Amino acid sequence: GSSEYIFEGDLGLQGPPKLQDPSFLASSISAQQKDLSEDLDLSFLPDELSAQEEPPENVGTSSHEDSGIYPDCPSSESPDIDSDLSKTQPAASPFCSLPMTPMTPMTPVAPVTESSGIIPQLQNIVSTVNLACPLDLKAIALQARNAEYNPKRFAAVIMRIREPRTTALIFSSGKMVCTGAKSEEQSRLAARKYARVVQKLGFPAKFLDFKIQNMVGSCDVCFPIRLEGLVLTHQQFSSYEPELFPGLIYRMVKPRIVLLIFVSGKVVLTGAKDRSEIYEAFENIYPILKGFRKQ
């Protein structure tokens, strides 16, 4: 069984497998890191280490990895991208070495956007607001028709409205959490509607400190992904336990976003406070996913 697996892996590579197989690369880099990590924590020095430690591997892999990143990019654009990347990271190719990956956010967003052509869709927005008055939850639950309140189970009134289709958790302190909206405007509008309902029930509710706390987006890259290869080369940021959860969990450093990446090519992005963070995180991960496309 194992010999067939190795043979399949070699099919997708050009040239000697030792230089270009990402799993071999990762094992050598992680071996170096294990030696170093006994004396000190390296998490805060990814870029310097990579520039000093593995010049030979970078030279060997850069042409192969880069050729995998922009295969369908028009020839007129690729010089732009290459020159921009070389400005930000002269020492090494941006997507090939293990510790460099979180530093990809420094690449300019505009030219890379054209390379993916995919815009993640927002699926859920969680926001909070302060109604700035104490509330009698039992009275609200009895008077409002779209509310449920079970204090033994949860200490807040759960209220729902149909337009925008959202759910609110209303606490006795006057704090409120609104979930389920698909855009920032909808989330704010829904929160105002809940505040209005509370006002109509006779409470002096205000609308203070509205803030978006989390945004969830999703998209599909439309090709299958080798998650095993991705977790090997990006060990610092990835965890992949297929027996517990079928997706790879990738914790991006900048922007600070968590991505769930599935074999099918579907990607979920969460943890953003602004939609630009979701777009930026996807543009950073897209070339990496392209490098681990299943043949």
Side-chain angles (χ1 to χ4, degrees):
S2 63
S3 60
E4 291 171 30
Y5 174 74
I6 293 163
F7 175 65
E8 283 180 357
D10 289 351
L11 278 180
L13 301 168
Q14 312 98 345
K18 276 214 158 181
L19 268 179
Q20 296 172 337
D21 187 284
S23 60
F24 165 75
L25 229 182
S27 61
S28 69
I29 294 170
S30 60
Q32 290 173 354
Q33 288 206 325
K34 275 170 194 157
D35 301 344
L36 280 159
S37 60
E38 287 161 12
D39 339 9
L40 73 163
D41 179 19
L42 299 177
S43 58
F44 62 96
L45 276 176
D47 46 348
E48 283 97 337
L49 281 172
S50 69
Q52 288 162 17
E53 271 176 39
E54 327 92 45
E57 278 101 343
N58 285 348
V59 173
T61 52
S62 59
S63 59
H64 165 65
E65 293 271 336
D66 282 354
S67 66
I69 290 170
Y70 301 106
D72 52 1
C73 189
S75 54
S76 60
E77 285 172 59
S78 46
D80 277 11
I81 294 163
D82 292 347
S83 62
D84 283 328
L85 291 172
S86 61
K87 280 177 213 161
T88 50
Q89 289 146 351
S93 170
F95 301 116
C96 58
S97 62
L98 162 69
M100 291 298 277
T101 42
M103 297 303 133
T104 52
M106 293 189 294
T107 57
V109 177
V112 187
T113 311
E114 292 159 18
S115 73
S116 86
I118 300 166
I119 298 173
Q121 295 297 307
L122 296 179
Q123 300 297 341
N124 183 24
I125 290 174
V126 179
S127 59
T128 54
V129 69
N130 188 358
L131 304 179
C133 68
L135 303 173
D136 179 354
L137 298 187
K138 202 172 175 186
I140 292 174
L142 289 170
Q143 291 176 311
R145 63 175 79 175
N146 50 353
E148 55 182 90
Y149 179 45
N150 188 342
K152 287 180 184 168
R153 228 179 85 211
F154 188 55
V157 165
I158 301 166
M159 195 181 284
R160 293 183 175 86
I161 56 175
R162 288 199 188 139
E163 190 47 51
R165 189 173 181 146
T166 51
T167 302
L169 308 175
I170 303 171
F171 294 85
S172 57
S173 63
K175 300 272 171 70
M176 181 168 77
V177 180
C178 174
T179 66
K182 302 270 187 195
S183 74
E184 300 93 330
E185 300 76 31
Q186 279 190 1
S187 187
R188 191 182 179 90
L189 173 64
R192 290 202 81 97
K193 285 190 174 181
Y194 290 117
R196 191 85 185 92
V197 169
V198 172
Q199 275 181 346
K200 283 187 173 174
L201 296 176
F203 298 95
K206 300 185 179 67
F207 193 81
L208 306 179
D209 312 325
F210 175 83
K211 188 180 180 204
I212 288 171
Q213 301 290 353
N214 185 24
M215 303 176 95
V216 182
S218 67
C219 55
D220 187 357
V221 296
C222 300
F223 54 79
I225 300 162
R226 286 188 296 114
L227 299 181
E228 305 79 16
L230 180 54
V231 76
L232 277 171
T233 48
H234 294 237
Q235 281 161 327
Q236 285 176 300
F237 322 107
S238 314
S239 73
Y240 178 47
E241 301 284 351
E243 292 179 10
L244 301 178
F245 181 67
L248 180 148
I249 301 164
Y250 191 102
R251 296 176 191 279
M252 194 172 281
V253 180
K254 184 177 184 300
R256 197 161 164 200
I257 300 291
V258 177
L259 301 96
L260 305 179
I261 302 162
F262 296 90
V263 184
S264 62
K266 299 269 200 304
V267 180
V268 176
L269 306 97
T270 184
K273 293 265 198 286
D274 189 71
R275 70 165 66 205
S276 62
E277 293 177 1
I278 284 184
Y279 298 156
E280 188 186 345
F282 179 69
E283 290 304 333
N284 292 339
I285 203 78
Y286 184 74
I288 298 167
L289 299 183
K290 234 171 180 180
F292 291 100
R293 185 177 188 156
K294 271 189 186 170
Q295 298 305 322

